[in-house]
Amino acid sequence: MRKNVLTSIVSTISYLLALVPLVTLAISWSSMPAVVPVHIGFDGKIDRWGSKWELIIVAVIIAVLFISIVTALRLSFLGNNEKLYMSVKKDGAKEYSPHFCLLSLWKSLSMCI
């Protein structure tokens, strides 16, 4: 039961982290100017300005990629290394191991940074 709860918690945290860019954008939307810098060059100078509406596209792309990567990681671990990342209960039910849950959470947090 403990592993199942841990799996649920890590899964929820991983997928909620995908919403961080959208939530951040929603919170700061009213205080943002209509035109914002959208690209900064290697020299640290702004070399492209754009509408703040462009930021919605970027935030959605980040969220979709984040969810896709986390889901792909989960599926690839299940497919290739099922014995390492799954445990089988006496009744034959499978659940994620704590190692897999922590690895998923670490990957999710590292993608947010």
Side-chain angles (χ1 to χ4, degrees), residues 10 13-14 17 100-110:
V10 171
I13 290 172
S14 296
L17 285 174
F100 174 74
C101 294
L102 292 174
L103 180 64
S104 296
L105 180 61
W106 178 80
K107 295 262 187 196
S108 300
L109 290 172
S110 65

Side-chain angles (χ1 to χ4, degrees), residues 1-3 7 11-12 15 19-21 27 30 34 38 41 43-44 54 62 66-67 72 89 96 101-102 104 106-107:
M1 181 70 173
R2 182 173 176 255
K3 290 180 184 177
T7 301
S11 295
T12 303
Y15 289 111
L19 301 175
V20 169
I27 290 171
S30 62
V38 291
D43 58 356
E54 291 180 44
I62 290 171
F66 187 90
I67 290 170
K89 295 168 45 175
Y96 293 112
C101 294
L102 292 174
S104 296
W106 178 80
K107 295 262 187 196

